[in-house]
Amino acid sequence: MAGAFAEAGADLELVDLHKRFPGFTAIEEMNLVIPAGSFFALLGPSGCGKTTTLRLVAGLEEATSGRILIGGKDVTETKPYQRPVNTVFQSYALFPHMSVIDNVAFGLRRRGISDAKGKSHEALALVELDHLSARRPAQLSGGQQQRVALARAIVNRPALLLLDEPLGALDLKLRRQMQLELKSIQDEVGLTFLHVTHDQEEAMTMADTVAVMNKGRIEQLGAPEMLYELPRTAFVANFLGQSNLFTGPVSGTTATSIAVDVEGTRIVVPKARAERHTGTVTVGVRPEKLTLHTEAPEVDSSRNLLGPGRVIDVSFSGVSTQYILAVPGAGTVTVFAQNMGVGPLVADGAEVWVSWSVDHGFGLEDEAPPAPRFDADTDTATIAVQKKRALMSELEEA
Amino acid sequence: MTLQEGAVLADAVTAPKSRRRGRIGRTSWILPSYTTLALVFLLIPIVYTIVFSFNNSIKSNISWRGFTLDKWLNVCSAQNVCQAFGNSLLIGGVATVVATTLGTMIAIALVRYRFRFRAAISLLLFLPMATPEVVLGSGLASEFLGAGVEPGLLTIMIAHIMFCISFVVVTVKARVSSLDPALEEAGRDLYGSPGQVFLRITFPLLLPGIIAAALLSFALSFDDFIITYFNSGSVQTFPTFVYVSAARGIPAEANVIASAVFFIAIVIVITQQLAAAVRRRRLARTA
Ligand SMILES: Nc1ncnc2c1ncn2[C@@H]1O[C@H](COP(=O)(O)OP(=O)(O)OP(=O)(O)O)[C@@H](O)[C@H]1O
Ligand SMILES: [Mg+2]
């Protein structure tokens, strides 16, 4: 490995990986294959073990059990500096006593690669910071530091690049720009990227494969469209976008579909889109798949119908309007409607029905938890609240 | 003690100047007069020492007998002054190097590793700082006697290393605990072997603390009288020399050395301040 750039990405394989801290299991049991050259996103709430997973792969943390293979080679026992892996740290971890350029050149120099300085300048130019190469990290803004951390890792062209929320401190515009930049670097060199993020939109737009993590295990893994279309668990259904979930016993089965009885209302879901076909089942539908009706529509066997209910909240968000309905028996239902006309379709307090195509529903493996819905937002306020909650619960446990 | 003087000086130079001026009241003369008195009181012994290093004394250096540069030009002419001073430098140098090296390693181990008796060791290292010097000095002396070690340069060095280590550990430990472990992890992630990571990341980041610890060690060792006196045998350091000769009158050459040490300390502090200012300005320019 030493002395040369990686020609191409390497695949990463985690086999039965476990990580237990004293008194706390951070990774339950992880089995994962990331093909060479792919852009893999690890998405999950704060404290679910994303950083721990990356640290295990980088060799900064020792696995309790299980194996880690990079490019087919077992690296479980090797030291971090022997692994063809570089990390963009969540806390940047820039060396405060070195200039920006020396920070970026650090990895190249350790491996004795020629023209470390020139290559470092190129990497800095890529993140548009070459003009600040003589500064110390303390003289940069948070976003600039983050870009230096990115350049410091990318300049090494590792077979596997680990990114721990590398764009978290950037404003939206710079974030989009860096996303494109990252994606093009990845395409160009064919490196394997393992990208950790809170931001579901970032994960969905950039990654070939997204894995949703919760409490130390991967809940579901797949192409972004697949995950969104067919979430398998209530957690995924609500973490990736929003969902309306209804729980009830299966009351009828045909060759191709099941019907669930939700407090007297029949909701039909295709068998192919349901994980379970018997017992009590939670079914769901995305808010944008719902159609609002101001009077009772005709019964149509290809559509599910809920109602009548009452509009309890209308919030306008530019492209679309979000309606929250209270439907007796079904609870609250969220509807996103495109703003095609002028003004809202219905006003607060109006009586409405909602319907959706049977083909748009999905049936979950588990039952929806009674806990309040987890809203995966990307803004810092939400993240701060999440962090605070995690901290509070940690304090309570202690 | 030279280091305390140095620290006070450094503080005075770097302390932010207060922008807000209080109203000048009727009692405005009290604070300035009090300050002046205190300063004079503090400075008189130093000024006295410096002035009398130029005294054309014959035997005792108590009354003024005219100005001369002789004592400055021939410091070593007085019996034993230079030898005592040389001993002090040698002991200070050895104690500083050994104590700083060992103390730094202990400090890193105490912060970074979990091992048995870690808390106990932390506490034990603190003891020499809290124990009266007389107790330490006499205790060590009887131990050396019991072990049959002849008191001399070696016993003084061992004694000084012992108490310097405590100060080094405390100073460096603060620095180690404020060091973000993620930095060393980043170094390892960027292909740095453990040795390279220590040399290029850990050590440079700890250096300010290590330098402070070394200066403190040297000052403490150079200055120490009580512990040295108990364990020196026939060997004289500068402080024991001054103490012994005080009975017969301290030669002016001792004043010369004391003044020189004072000036050197001041020069070091001022150079440091200037260097820091230059560094700041250079950084500001690159920004
Ligand atoms: N050294 C440690 N000792 C004990 N517990 C730890 C340690 N490091 C992490 N944990 C715990 O393991 C869990 C996973 O931590 P991790 O840092 O992987 O979370 P994360 O998914 O990266 O979260 P975030 O999105 O907030 O960065 C957390 O609950 C954390 O408290
Ligand atoms: Mg993290």
Side-chain angles (χ1 to χ4, degrees):
Chain A
M1 186 59 238
F5 278 146
E7 291 302 321
D11 52 0
L12 170 70
E13 199 178 341
L14 306 181
V15 187
D16 290 337
L17 200 61
H18 265 273
K19 176 66 195 179
R20 204 168 302 123
F21 290 113
F24 186 85
T25 303
I27 307 291
E28 293 279 354
E29 182 179 336
M30 191 170 285
N31 282 289
L32 187 65
V33 179
I34 301 179
S38 68
F39 199 119
F40 191 96
L42 204 53
L43 188 63
S46 188
C48 70
K50 305 181 296 290
T51 299
T52 307
T53 309
L54 291 197
R55 290 173 59 81
L56 285 166
V57 174
L60 299 172
E61 209 80 71
E62 238 176 89
T64 311
S65 67
R67 289 185 309 137
I68 300 165
L69 294 95
I70 297 174
K73 257 196 293 194
D74 191 333
V75 297
T76 322
E77 301 296 322
T78 60
K79 298 269 175 283
Y81 56 92
Q82 296 160 331
R83 300 189 186 190
V85 170
N86 286 112
T87 310
V88 180
F89 289 85
Q90 193 168 12
S91 57
Y92 322 142
L94 298 178
F95 307 130
H97 58 298
M98 296 183 195
S99 64
V100 165
I101 189 79
D102 287 336
N103 260 281
V104 177
F106 190 89
L108 298 176
R109 290 190 177 136
R110 297 290 79 71
R111 289 195 294 164
I113 284 173
S114 61
D115 192 24
K117 202 142 204 167
K119 290 186 171 104
S120 302
H121 277 296
E122 277 171 35
L124 278 174
L126 202 64
V127 295
E128 299 187 4
L129 281 181
D130 202 24
H131 59 293
L132 301 180
S133 62
R135 282 204 195 169
R136 292 292 172 94
Q139 297 171 302
L140 301 180
S141 74
Q144 288 169 338
Q145 291 181 24
Q146 202 160 46
R147 279 142 72 199
V148 173
L150 202 56
R152 186 177 69 173
I154 284 178
V155 75
N156 298 297
R157 299 283 145 108
L160 174 62
L161 186 66
L162 308 175
L163 303 118
D164 199 349
E165 303 193 35
L167 309 177
L170 306 184
D171 62 67
L172 200 63
K173 182 164 165 277
L174 202 53
R175 201 179 166 105
R176 295 280 170 261
Q177 190 184 332
M178 293 302 299
Q179 285 175 0
L180 290 176
E181 206 66 72
L182 267 182
K183 191 80 185 138
S184 75
I185 292 169
Q186 197 253 341
D187 282 343
E188 216 170 278
V189 198
L191 305 178
T192 313
F193 276 36
L194 174 47
H195 183 114
V196 160
T197 176
H198 268 116
D199 179 351
Q200 43 156 318
E201 202 178 319
E202 184 172 296
M204 305 255 258
T205 51
M206 294 173 79
D208 309 317
T209 311
V210 175
V212 179
M213 241 185 122
N214 187 25
K215 294 188 186 144
R217 44 174 88 241
I218 290 183
E219 290 250 343
Q220 194 176 356
L221 175 158
E225 312 82 48
M226 206 279 277
L227 278 186
Y228 190 80
E229 266 306 308
L230 270 182
R232 211 160 49 206
T233 64
F235 178 82
V236 176
N238 280 322
F239 191 79
L240 222 55
Q242 291 186 39
S243 298
N244 295 300
L245 300 180
F246 313 102
T247 307
V250 175
S251 61
T253 315
T254 68
T256 55
S257 64
I258 57 167
V260 177
D261 175 51
V262 182
E263 309 265 332
T265 310
R266 236 170 74 93
I267 295 177
V268 180
V269 177
K271 267 187 173 167
R273 291 175 62 90
E275 292 290 327
R276 291 194 294 139
H277 300 160
T278 54
T280 303
V281 169
T282 296
V283 294
V285 64
R286 297 288 185 185
E288 70 277 12
K289 301 278 164 61
L290 300 181
T291 311
L292 274 177
H293 307 273
T294 47
E295 46 201 64
E298 277 172 37
V299 176
D300 179 348
S301 66
S302 71
R303 294 184 76 79
N304 291 311
L305 179 66
L306 277 182
R310 209 158 278 288
V311 178
I312 54 172
D313 188 54
V314 179
S315 53
F316 177 76
S317 69
V319 203
S320 65
T321 305
Q322 172 183 297
Y323 302 91
I324 296 180
L325 323 175
V327 181
T332 55
V333 175
T334 307
V335 180
F336 290 151
Q338 291 286 317
N339 288 329
M340 312 244 248
V342 179
L345 291 168
V346 290
D348 222 344
E351 191 183 51
V352 289
W353 287 256
V354 283
S355 71
W356 68 94
S357 165
V358 164
D359 292 335
H360 286 155
F362 48 79
L364 302 178
E365 190 179 273
D366 58 351
E367 283 178 36
R373 175 169 299 169
F374 197 106
D375 213 15
D377 248 320
T378 55
D379 60 313
T380 45
T382 314
I383 291 170
V385 170
Q386 283 176 5
K387 293 246 181 209
K388 194 173 143 201
R389 263 193 224 136
L391 196 70
M392 299 285 270
S393 65
E394 240 168 67
L395 285 176
E396 269 166 32
E397 273 167 35
Chain B
M1 195 245 272
T2 42
L3 196 102
Q4 275 167 1
E5 287 158 13
V8 169
L9 252 166
D11 259 5
V13 179
T14 52
K17 314 254 176 322
S18 170
R19 296 260 155 76
R20 209 160 48 98
R21 298 246 156 81
R23 183 135 350 127
I24 298 178
R26 204 174 303 163
T27 55
S28 64
W29 52 272
I30 292 183
L31 193 60
S33 327
Y34 173 75
T35 313
T36 316
L37 266 175
L39 270 178
V40 167
F41 184 68
L42 284 174
L43 288 178
I44 277 182
I46 297 174
V47 172
Y48 177 90
T49 305
I50 296 172
V51 168
F52 272 77
S53 71
F54 298 102
N55 188 13
N56 193 5
S57 66
I58 298 172
K59 194 138 186 254
S60 76
N61 191 13
I62 294 170
S63 51
W64 184 255
R65 303 176 66 107
F67 179 87
T68 178
L69 280 177
D70 273 3
K71 313 290 176 186
W72 277 85
L73 298 175
N74 310 303
V75 210
C76 292
S77 63
Q79 239 185 351
N80 297 336
V81 178
C82 277
Q83 209 200 346
F85 182 62
N87 283 342
S88 275
L89 286 183
L90 178 68
I91 294 164
V94 172
T96 299
V97 170
V98 177
T100 308
T101 313
L102 290 178
T104 302
M105 296 197 291
I106 294 171
I108 293 176
L110 281 177
V111 178
R112 284 296 161 80
Y113 301 99
R114 304 273 165 269
F115 49 89
R116 231 141 53 108
F117 307 127
R118 186 167 141 267
I121 290 173
S122 264
L123 193 71
L124 286 177
L125 277 164
F126 186 72
L127 275 185
M129 297 198 289
T131 315
E133 280 195 67
V134 196
V135 179
L136 277 185
S138 56
L140 266 173
S142 56
E143 222 175 291
F144 284 135
L145 190 69
V149 184
E150 195 67 22
L153 270 182
L154 186 70
T155 52
I156 304 176
M157 283 175 188
I158 292 173
H160 284 202
I161 289 168
M162 181 206 69
F163 68 76
C164 284
I165 279 186
S166 300
F167 287 91
V168 174
V169 170
V170 169
T171 315
V172 178
K173 223 171 95 176
R175 191 85 195 170
V176 181
S177 10
S178 71
L179 182 67
D180 182 3
L183 294 176
E184 286 161 309
E185 289 175 355
R188 287 193 280 155
D189 185 65
L190 291 163
Y191 313 104
S193 64
Q196 288 172 327
V197 169
F198 181 80
L199 220 67
R200 292 178 191 279
I201 295 163
T202 319
F203 184 67
L205 290 173
L206 294 184
L207 197 57
I210 295 175
I211 290 177
L215 286 175
L216 185 63
S217 290
F218 189 82
L220 284 170
S221 164
F222 190 83
D223 204 41
D224 182 74
F225 172 74
I226 302 174
I227 295 177
T228 312
Y229 194 66
F230 274 106
N231 295 287
S232 53
S234 60
V235 175
Q236 278 193 329
T237 65
F238 190 64
T240 57
F241 168 81
V242 172
Y243 176 77
V244 168
S245 47
R248 293 176 274 116
I250 304 165
E253 284 81 355
N255 290 41
V256 171
I257 287 177
S259 311
V261 169
F262 175 72
F263 287 131
I264 290 170
I266 287 188
V267 166
I268 289 176
V269 170
I270 291 176
T271 338
Q272 265 182 354
Q273 292 293 326
L274 284 180
V278 167
R279 215 175 313 130
R280 263 199 301 277
R281 190 151 331 139
R282 209 176 40 217
L283 270 179
R285 208 174 309 129
T286 59

